[in-house]
Structure formats: structure tokens, C-alpha cells
Amino acid sequence: MEGSPERHSKKKVVAVVGGGLVGALNACFFAKRGFDVEVFETREDIRQAKIVKGRSINLALSHRGRQALKHVGMEEKIVSQGIPMHARMIHSLSGKQSPIPYGKKGQVNLIILSQNTSLLFAECVIYKIRLLLKPVCHVAAVSHRPDGSTEEVEADLIVGCDGAFSAIRKQFLRRSRFNYSQTYIPHGYMELTMPPINEEFAMKPNYLHIWPRNTFMMIALPNMDKTFTCTLFMPFEEFEKITTGDEVIEFFQKYFPDTIPLIGADALRRDYFRLPAQAMVSVKCSPYHIGDKCVLMGDAAHAVVPFYGQGMNAGFEDCIVFDEIMDRFSEDFNAVLPEYTRVRVPDDHAIADLAMYNYIEMRAHVNSKWFLFRKHVDNFLHFLMPRAVIPLYTMVTFTRTRYHEAVERWHWQDKVIHFEKMRFCFLQALSFFLNLLFEGFFMPLNI
Amino acid sequence: MEGSPERHSKKKVVAVVGGGLVGALNACFFAKRGFDVEVFETREDIRQAKIVKGRSINLALSHRGRQALKHVGMEEKIVSQGIPMHARMIHSLSGKQSPIPYGKKGQVNLIILSQNTSLLFAECVIYKIRLLLKPVCHVAAVSHRPDGSTEEVEADLIVGCDGAFSAIRKQFLRRSRFNYSQTYIPHGYMELTMPPINEEFAMKPNYLHIWPRNTFMMIALPNMDKTFTCTLFMPFEEFEKITTGDEVIEFFQKYFPDTIPLIGADALRRDYFRLPAQAMVSVKCSPYHIGDKCVLMGDAAHAVVPFYGQGMNAGFEDCIVFDEIMDRFSEDFNAVLPEYTRVRVPDDHAIADLAMYNYIEMRAHVNSKWFLFRKHVDNFLHFLMPRAVIPLYTMVTFTRTRYHEAVERWHWQDKVIHFEKMRFCFLQALSFFLNLLFEGFFMPLNI
């Protein structure tokens, strides 16, 4: 962060491909170091763009994301545009609502809207970043020989922040020894809007509302305009079974009866058919770099399913991690890029796996008594031994513990708890067995 | 297989993309059913092509592959061109050789050479199959709208048999909800030739010779011309450490001293630098089909690492499985293609995983006493209870048990053996504990 223009005889040029959240933030990180930053974006100018209804996806900003924003002086401004969250709110079939807190008191999760893409980008002006509206393939051409039909862009570093379907990553796929996986889950998602009632939120606003229904579920998140965005997650074939407005109402009456008056029956009949259900993909790859020329960050490197609320935070943390490595290796891309791959790949893979794990947990276990019990045990143990036992969710959401270390620690904690359970069962059985053998001689061992 | 030209008012056209082993065999399966088959191949006519030295990879033909060849009347001819194998032969550091049989007596593994690509293809003439030498992208254009610059090929079905880096599969990647992964292992391979001595094989020919050395290993397979192809598997960075002829000799003296006189020091110094080490990739994907138009088979659908000797066999079995489904659904592609995906994906994923598992097992465990002991236990249990306990290797290599069922059964057998071990330990511990408690009262339970 001590980088300044004077350090370079000639300013290095960084081409950031993609002007989404991670692209915009990354541009600020590079600009702060004194690089000449150009952001390439194929869509229209996102500062003026309208939000696409039904594909807005609310985003949860937590500790990792905030740390990154703080680094470029944007934390307060962005946080002030969001709605703080205190807990989950579980809706049962009968309409009963039960809150499950996220962690200890005072720990809050923060919701921001996708509108903040443009807000974040508007902030870039303070760093004098150029937004260039060009097809991404023109920029991608820098990383390999252009075939004559494409325009060549000169840059010292290309940063691919162009999302889950990254064009820059496609160039990586042409090379040998690039590991890559894309996994679509069998569920799709659909967004429905719950309007305000008397200009107020229709439900308690500071909660992540969840309707867990085993193979599918609905969640609702508050927006600044007092609406809720309800997102229905369901297998594609279930979505396709519902073909008429009456069937929509029937379905909601069966599974989410409390939401019908709040969303409105007419809106439900209409909005269910506005857009088909959207697919969700989990992408992992490695390495994240080619030579000293090109690097992937954010969804381009690791698209995750949205069930841990960490997608944006992981992408923002990429920027910090890269920045820290830039300090350690004096901005020498030849050393920085391989180190970034070495350090960041295991963490991004860990959060991708966790998000997939939560995909199952949220649908099924949130419903079960066992899950609630286990959450209480975890939180209670954390309360008793705040350093020794930290719930996984707390490590992921409220600290910068490396993702893969959080997972290792979680497995270790699980083993200890499991071992204690085993020891308890074994001693119980032994006591029973001895009692059986010498009835009357031994009192059951009272362990 | 009862399909005949009379059944169709107009002959259906099948475009097989790729004239390798699976493409050629598949062409025969379709031709036998009375389809009009065209095989597209970008390389020169493989019937006349020379073998590329250092990239020949010997292939093991086992039960599944033989069944497929039998189906189109080629088994005997191909088998007569190969060298039968009885066992593995483990070479220790000191040069001691110990055989490990594959299964029961009489079960042999068969080696064929990659020359048989052309042999297999030459056989296709009996089925009147057209070989067209065209760039694959022209054929791929059928599966999506051509952009004007590509020539359109008309076909009722496109069968992508174009190998691990399939161009047809690239078309699948453009579509939503296509699951895909490619994983490169950290090891590369290099082929070296061991010439005959006095016109005879330099080592015993009917064995798979293995030099297991933990993080790396060498194997040798016999060829019809009395040479052996030695394949060295080693992490890329280890390959790159050796940069001079002297270092090659030093390395072989340390790890494979018995092979130096057989390969020849001069040949070693020269051939090590002929080609760089080659990469190995494991590819999984799903689904295998697009609508009723296009389907993937062989390496295009599931490239596996070569450590179970099942790559070609799995590809050949794809052809049989597809053929069986064609019978069940009266050649209705609309039903056949989804069913092929449903049935075949779990089996191909299972063999890909097994090959990866063996990659570790062959390098490390083949060396260990435990592994040899476990092999003996498995074979002994199989001898005692031939129906209840079948070694995994036997199921995979000498039967057509579905791959994923073989793996499930193996896990189950492992659990039983593990449970027996646990029970044994528990009873031992209990006996010890009781003896301690009532010393002199109890004799140790003799279990």
C-alpha cells in the first residue's frame, strides 16, 4: 500500500476485465498503488444501468468484504447503504417464526443490494480509473497472439474479474495442466418481490427469513426500498411441473401459506412465469495465473453456490490477499502471481466446498431438532471456551481465518465432540455389561 | 443387433467424429445395425500412419474390451496380435523380482499395442464405413448453427469419439447445466525403449514389470517386436531437475540400476531428452448427450489416468452399453441418449476415480508389506468364498460388473473386514481389562 507513482520510472498498466463488484474494487486497489488502471466492461455503463428484475440477488457483506472495502476507504459509505441483519428467522409450515442468532450478541451480518455494484463503481472516480466499454474478447486477445481480426490492448497485467462465465478463463482452458471444474446443482432459483405494507416492511426487516422445506426452500432478504426479495430454491423439474397460475397458488398454499397475503396472489400468478428458473454453478480452477501476465479473481476464479453468503466476500478478500502479496514481493509480478495461486487456491476451494455443504444443510437440517441442538451446543461451548471452540459459521463470517484453516479446525472440533460421544457410549455399554455379568455385585458405574 | 437396413425407410446417417480405437469400434457397431456411417478424422489416414515414438502407450485389453470386440466379430483377430500377461513383476531396488498374480489361475490380461488402432480401423472395411479426412470443427458445426465460414454436415446422430481434448465436447461446454471437470495430475510420463537381446525379450515377456519407488515409478510392457516400452512416471519438477546425460545415468543408477544394461547407457542419455515429459489428465462430465442429436463416448466423455489399465476397455464398453440401450428402445435416439447418460455416467465416473486411486496405490503401496498381505488375504478369501468375496481388481478386469457396483461392493467388503478387525480388537481389550480386574479369577478369554 506504500506503492506510489514515483517508484516506477514508467507507470505500469493494469487491465481489469469486468466492471462488476470485484473488478471495481480491484481497480481501486491497483490505482491506490499508483498503477495506470483501465477497466473493460462489455455491458452498458453500469453506473447508469437499471437493475434487472428477477436477477438482482441480494448480497451479504461480512467481515472479509468489509476489511477489503476499508482498505480503499469505502467501508462506511457502502455499509450505510445496507440493512444490518441480526439473525435467521425460520418460518414453519404453520407460520410460526423462530429466530436463530448468527453468533454472539453484537455480531451482525450486513445485507447490501446489487445496486451497490454501480455505487461501488461510482466510487472509483476518486481513483481516476478509466471505464472502457469494449467486448471482452478484445482484451482477452492480449494473453495470446491476436489473429488479425481482434484489436490488441497493451497492458503489463491482465486481471480477469469477469465473473462465473469468464472469457479470460477460457484462455486458461486452452493451456495444458490447467485444472478446472464446473458443477451445476440440480436446483434453480426464482426471485419474487414482497411489497411494503403501509410503506413499511411486510416482515421484520433485520432477519434472513428462511422457509426450509427439505428438498426445496425459500429465503427473503430486505431491500432499502422496504421490499423483500423472496428467492425460491427448487429442483428444476419441480419448477417445470408448475405450469398455470392456479398451480402456483396451490403450491404456495401447501408450502408457504404465510407468504401468499404478503406477496399477493395476483403477483404470484404473474411473476412466477416472468423468467424461467435460473441455474447455479460452482466453479473451481487452478492455477489462477499465467506467467507474470494474467491472473483471475472473484467469480472468474471461484464461482460458488450462494448458500454461505460468502461469494462477494471471498472475491473482495482475493483483492486484499493479492495486495498483501504485492507488498511482500515488491510488486514483482513474476513472484506475486505464483504466490497468489499457492496461497489462495486452497482457501477458495474450501469456501466453494462449504457453500455446497450448506446447500444441503440449509434445506434439510435447519428443519431438524438435531441441527438446532448442535447449533446451541456449538454456541454454548464457544461461550464457555471462546478461544478453543469457535463455530465454523463464526470463523467464516466474522473473522479472516483462512477458509481452509477454518474447515480443518471445524473437522478437528467435530472429531473431538464425536470422540467424547463415543467414549461416553463405550463407558455406558461397559457399565451395562458388567452389571449384567455380576448382577447385584456391581452398581452401574455412574459415569 | 437385429437392426437391418430394411427396418428404415431411409437409412439414418451417423457421423462418428474421431477415428481412434473407440471411434473405429463404434463405427462397426452402427454399421452392423444398418446405419450409414461416416467417420471423420483430422489426422492423416491412420491405416498408413507411422507410430509416434515416445507416445505409443501400450494398451491392456481385458474382459470388457474383448466382449465389445467379440460383438463385431473382431476379438480373435485382435487378440492374436497381442501378448498375454500372467502377472505383475515387482523389481526391488536390489534388482530382486517378485511376481504378483492378477487373480485366479487362467485369468490373463492381454496387452495390445497402439499400432492396433490402425489394425482395428482396417477391419472396418468389412462394414463399408467411409473414412473422411476433415477438420473436426466442420463436423462440430452440425451441433450448433454454422456461422457461414464452416461447412455443414448432415447427420441424424453425431458421436463424439475424439479423445481427451474433444472438439465435440467443447460444444457441450457452451451450454448451461453441463457439468465438467479436468484434473491434471502432478506426474508426467516419459517412454524409453528396451531393445531385444539376441533377438529375444530382454526380460520375461508375459509380465507387467513394475519398479515402485514411492513418489515415482517405472513400468515396462512387451511389444510384438520383442522390445519393451518402459514408461517412467514422475512429478514434472523431478523430470525438470535432470538436465544432462550424466544426471540421467546417476538417477537410473540410484533407482533403477537393473535397467541400465538392458536399456543401454547411451540410449538413456539420448532418449531422455527426445521429448519432454507428457501430461496426464482425468476428465469427467455429464450429461453425455445433447437432445437426440449428439453423444460422447470414450476419452471424449471420460479420459482417465492410465493406472488401472481400463481406459480403452471403458471406451469399448461404452459401445456395448449404447448398443444394448438401442435394442431396449428400438433405436429411438430421443429415449436412447438420455438413458445412456443415466446408465453410463456413474460407471465412467467410478472407473475415473479408481484409476486415480490406483495412481497412488501403485506408487506407494505396491512396495509395502501391508499391500502384499492385503492382496493375499483378498485372494485367499475369494478362493474360500468365490461368490461372496471378489477382489476389486478381479471385478473390474475380468467381469462386466458395472464399475460403480464394483466400487460399492468393494467398500462393503472393506467395511466387513474392518468391522471384523474392530470386533477382534474390542474382545481382546475386554479380555485384558477383565483379567486386570480379577487377576487370577479369569483366564484371558481365548477368542
Side-chain angles (χ1 to χ4, degrees):
Chain A
M1 65 214 79
E2 278 69 47
S4 68
E6 295 78 26
R7 263 178 41 193
H8 311 281
S9 53
K10 193 186 152 235
K11 264 188 171 187
K12 276 191 190 165
V13 179
V14 173
V16 174
V17 180
L21 288 158
V22 175
L25 184 62
N26 233 333
C28 298
F29 269 87
F30 284 106
K32 199 177 170 210
R33 285 192 168 273
F35 286 88
D36 204 347
V37 181
E38 300 186 336
V39 177
F40 294 81
E41 172 61 52
T42 49
R43 295 167 297 187
E44 57 181 323
D45 192 330
I46 37 181
R47 289 162 296 190
Q48 273 102 54
K50 289 223 177 98
I51 312 135
V52 185
K53 265 211 162 185
R55 300 188 65 174
S56 66
I57 303 190
N58 307 46
L59 296 162
L61 178 69
S62 55
H63 183 72
R64 292 167 207 265
R66 288 178 72 151
Q67 290 298 105
L69 288 171
K70 192 178 191 172
H71 203 89
V72 289
M74 292 183 182
E75 186 189 10
E76 291 316 314
K77 188 142 187 190
I78 301 290
V79 166
S80 72
Q81 299 287 319
I83 297 171
M85 308 264 286
H86 303 308
R88 310 172 188 86
M89 183 68 85
I90 309 296
H91 293 244
S92 74
L93 254 180
S94 67
K96 200 186 143 223
Q97 300 185 25
S98 349
I100 304 179
Y102 280 118
K104 286 195 291 192
K105 252 194 166 175
Q107 286 175 336
V108 291
N109 222 2
L110 203 116
I111 297 303
I112 55 162
L113 310 183
S114 56
Q115 282 102 307
N116 285 22
T117 308
S118 48
L119 176 73
L120 185 61
F121 207 88
E123 287 298 299
C124 293
V125 291
I126 58 172
Y127 287 106
K128 299 198 188 77
I129 290 159
R130 287 204 297 158
L131 176 64
L132 305 168
L133 302 177
K134 282 188 182 181
V136 170
C137 60
H138 287 192
V139 185
V142 188
S143 63
H144 65 114
R145 290 291 107 224
D147 61 15
S149 67
T150 55
E151 171 196 357
E152 194 166 338
V153 177
E154 297 257 341
D156 296 288
L157 181 69
I158 300 167
V159 186
C161 303
D162 49 343
F165 303 100
S166 170
I168 299 294
R169 196 180 58 220
K170 286 208 178 80
Q171 304 300 322
F172 281 60
L173 267 172
R174 291 158 170 256
R175 304 174 72 91
S176 186
R177 298 172 63 191
F178 178 64
N179 296 308
Y180 175 74
S181 79
Q182 61 179 45
T183 309
Y184 284 87
I185 56 175
H187 281 60
Y189 73 87
M190 179 179 282
E191 293 187 344
L192 301 162
T193 303
M194 187 183 283
I197 296 177
N198 300 328
E199 289 172 31
E200 265 313 313
F201 281 108
M203 302 184 297
K204 288 186 182 170
N206 299 112
Y207 292 89
L208 162 59
H209 293 265
I210 311 181
W211 292 256
R213 299 292 182 265
N214 291 312
T215 56
F216 53 92
M217 72 165 175
M218 192 159 74
I219 66 168
L221 289 168
N223 298 311
M224 291 296 275
D225 64 359
K226 312 271 180 183
T227 62
F228 274 95
T229 302
C230 305
T231 311
L232 175 60
F233 296 95
M234 197 158 71
F236 278 99
E237 58 265 34
E238 298 293 324
F239 272 115
E240 284 152 17
K241 274 184 196 159
I242 297 169
T243 55
T244 67
D246 284 351
E247 283 167 355
V248 177
I249 300 298
E250 204 179 312
F251 173 79
F252 271 77
Q253 228 138 27
K254 192 164 172 193
Y255 295 109
F256 314 108
D258 56 337
T259 66
I260 299 181
L262 303 180
I263 300 177
D266 288 344
L268 267 178
R269 283 171 192 275
R270 185 188 61 231
D271 294 349
Y272 186 93
F273 302 102
R274 200 177 40 191
L275 268 181
Q278 303 292 311
M280 281 168 284
V281 69
S282 184
V283 171
K284 289 187 199 172
C285 66
S286 149
Y288 285 166
H289 71 287
I290 296 178
D292 61 349
K293 274 285 167 218
C294 190
V295 65
L296 300 174
M297 294 197 202
D299 283 3
H302 50 80
V304 301
V305 292
F307 304 102
Y308 222 108
Q310 282 292 308
M312 178 185 64
N313 292 286
F316 281 9
E317 199 179 38
D318 288 347
C319 305
I320 290 200
V321 168
F322 192 87
D323 195 67
E324 289 163 350
I325 296 170
M326 288 279 273
D327 277 346
R328 269 171 49 213
F329 293 92
S330 313
E331 302 182 354
D332 171 10
F333 292 151
N334 232 322
V336 169
L337 268 54
E339 178 67 3
Y340 173 73
T341 286
R342 195 188 68 76
V343 167
R344 199 55 185 162
V345 165
D347 288 326
D348 288 334
H349 286 198
I351 191 61
D353 292 341
L354 274 182
M356 197 60 97
Y357 172 82
N358 235 30
Y359 159 55
I360 296 151
E361 184 175 82
M362 275 180 93
R363 275 182 300 129
H365 297 162
V366 165
N367 239 351
S368 78
K369 293 231 165 58
W370 178 85
F371 174 80
L372 290 175
F373 174 73
R374 179 62 208 271
K375 282 266 168 208
H376 280 302
V377 169
D378 278 358
N379 286 335
F380 182 66
L381 287 175
H382 179 50
F383 172 76
L384 287 179
M385 301 172 282
R387 272 157 184 251
V389 179
I390 306 175
L392 176 65
Y393 189 87
T394 302
M395 287 189 278
V396 168
T397 313
F398 303 119
T399 76
R400 271 199 65 207
T401 307
R402 289 183 61 184
Y403 286 128
H404 89 273
E405 285 173 8
V407 170
E408 274 166 23
R409 197 163 165 165
W410 175 51
H411 286 312
W412 178 81
Q413 286 175 186
D414 245 34
K415 260 187 205 153
V416 171
I417 289 170
H418 189 69
F419 179 76
E420 287 298 315
K421 202 175 74 188
M422 289 273 288
R423 203 172 64 156
F424 176 78
C425 290
F426 176 77
L427 291 174
Q428 285 278 323
L430 187 67
S431 136
F432 175 80
F433 175 78
L434 288 176
N435 195 39
L436 209 77
L437 210 64
F438 313 99
E439 216 178 329
F441 279 65
F442 281 77
M443 289 298 288
L445 298 173
N446 240 336
I447 315 165
Chain B
M1 63 213 81
E2 280 69 47
S4 68
E6 296 77 29
R7 258 168 58 185
H8 312 281
S9 52
K10 194 185 152 240
K11 263 188 171 187
K12 276 190 191 167
V13 179
V14 173
V16 174
V17 180
L21 288 158
V22 175
L25 184 63
N26 232 333
C28 299
F29 269 88
F30 283 107
K32 197 176 172 211
R33 286 192 167 274
F35 286 87
D36 204 347
V37 181
E38 300 185 337
V39 177
F40 294 82
E41 174 59 53
T42 49
R43 294 168 297 186
E44 57 181 323
D45 192 328
I46 37 183
R47 287 162 296 187
Q48 273 102 55
K50 288 224 176 94
I51 312 136
V52 185
K53 266 212 159 182
R55 300 189 65 174
S56 65
I57 303 191
N58 307 46
L59 295 162
L61 178 69
S62 56
H63 183 72
R64 292 166 207 266
R66 288 178 74 150
Q67 289 298 105
L69 288 172
K70 192 179 193 172
H71 203 90
V72 290
M74 292 183 182
E75 187 189 11
E76 291 317 315
K77 188 142 186 189
I78 302 290
V79 165
S80 71
Q81 299 288 318
I83 296 172
M85 307 265 285
H86 303 309
R88 310 171 189 87
M89 183 69 84
I90 309 296
H91 293 243
S92 75
L93 254 181
S94 66
K96 200 187 144 224
Q97 300 186 22
S98 349
I100 304 179
Y102 279 119
K104 285 195 293 192
K105 253 195 164 174
Q107 285 175 337
V108 291
N109 221 4
L110 204 114
I111 298 302
I112 54 162
L113 311 183
S114 56
Q115 283 101 306
N116 284 23
T117 309
S118 47
L119 177 75
L120 185 61
F121 207 90
E123 286 298 298
C124 293
V125 290
I126 58 173
Y127 286 109
K128 300 195 189 76
I129 290 158
R130 289 203 296 158
L131 176 64
L132 306 168
L133 302 178
K134 283 187 182 182
V136 170
C137 60
H138 288 190
V139 185
V142 189
S143 63
H144 66 114
R145 288 294 105 223
D147 62 12
S149 67
T150 55
E151 171 195 357
E152 194 166 337
V153 177
E154 296 255 341
D156 296 289
L157 181 68
I158 299 167
V159 186
C161 304
D162 50 344
F165 304 99
S166 170
I168 300 293
R169 196 180 59 220
K170 286 209 180 77
Q171 303 302 322
F172 282 59
L173 267 171
R174 292 159 170 255
R175 304 173 71 91
S176 185
R177 296 171 66 189
F178 178 63
N179 296 309
Y180 175 75
S181 79
Q182 62 181 45
T183 309
Y184 285 86
I185 56 175
H187 280 60
Y189 73 87
M190 179 179 283
E191 292 186 346
L192 301 162
T193 303
M194 186 183 286
I197 297 177
N198 302 328
E199 289 173 33
E200 265 314 313
F201 281 107
M203 301 183 297
K204 288 186 181 170
N206 298 114
Y207 292 89
L208 163 57
H209 293 266
I210 310 182
W211 292 256
R213 299 292 182 265
N214 291 312
T215 56
F216 52 91
M217 71 165 178
M218 192 161 73
I219 65 168
L221 289 168
N223 299 311
M224 291 297 274
D225 63 0
K226 313 269 180 182
T227 62
F228 273 95
T229 302
C230 304
T231 312
L232 174 61
F233 296 94
M234 197 158 72
F236 278 99
E237 58 265 33
E238 298 294 326
F239 272 115
E240 284 152 18
K241 275 184 198 159
I242 297 169
T243 55
T244 68
D246 285 349
E247 284 168 354
V248 177
I249 300 299
E250 203 179 314
F251 174 79
F252 271 76
Q253 229 139 27
K254 191 165 174 194
Y255 296 109
F256 314 109
D258 56 337
T259 66
I260 300 181
L262 303 179
I263 300 176
D266 288 345
L268 267 177
R269 282 169 193 277
R270 184 188 60 231
D271 293 351
Y272 187 92
F273 302 102
R274 200 176 40 192
L275 269 181
Q278 304 292 310
M280 283 169 283
V281 68
S282 182
V283 171
K284 289 187 200 173
C285 66
S286 148
Y288 285 165
H289 71 287
I290 297 178
D292 60 349
K293 275 286 168 218
C294 190
V295 66
L296 300 174
M297 294 196 204
D299 283 2
H302 48 82
V304 302
V305 292
F307 303 102
Y308 222 110
Q310 283 291 307
M312 178 185 64
N313 292 287
F316 281 7
E317 199 179 37
D318 287 349
C319 305
I320 292 200
V321 169
F322 193 86
D323 195 67
E324 287 164 350
I325 296 169
M326 288 279 273
D327 277 345
R328 269 169 52 211
F329 293 93
S330 314
E331 302 181 353
D332 172 10
F333 293 149
N334 232 322
V336 169
L337 269 55
E339 178 67 3
Y340 172 73
T341 286
R342 194 188 68 75
V343 168
R344 198 58 184 159
V345 165
D347 288 325
D348 289 334
H349 286 199
I351 192 62
D353 292 342
L354 275 182
M356 197 60 97
Y357 172 83
N358 235 29
Y359 159 55
I360 296 152
E361 183 173 84
M362 276 180 94
R363 276 182 299 131
H365 297 162
V366 165
N367 240 349
S368 79
K369 294 233 165 57
W370 179 85
F371 174 79
L372 290 175
F373 174 74
R374 180 60 208 271
K375 282 268 167 204
H376 281 302
V377 169
D378 278 359
N379 287 335
F380 182 67
L381 288 175
H382 178 50
F383 171 76
L384 287 179
M385 301 172 282
R387 273 156 186 252
V389 178
I390 305 175
L392 177 63
Y393 190 87
T394 303
M395 286 190 279
V396 168
T397 313
F398 304 119
T399 76
R400 272 200 65 209
T401 307
R402 289 183 61 186
Y403 288 126
H404 88 273
E405 284 172 10
V407 171
E408 275 166 23
R409 196 162 165 169
W410 174 51
H411 285 313
W412 178 83
Q413 286 174 186
D414 245 33
K415 259 188 207 154
V416 170
I417 289 170
H418 188 71
F419 179 76
E420 287 297 317
K421 200 175 75 187
M422 290 274 286
R423 204 174 62 159
F424 176 77
C425 291
F426 176 79
L427 290 175
Q428 285 279 322
L430 189 66
S431 137
F432 175 79
F433 175 80
L434 288 176
N435 196 38
L436 209 78
L437 211 65
F438 313 100
E439 215 178 328
F441 279 68
F442 280 77
M443 291 296 287
L445 297 174
N446 240 336
I447 315 163

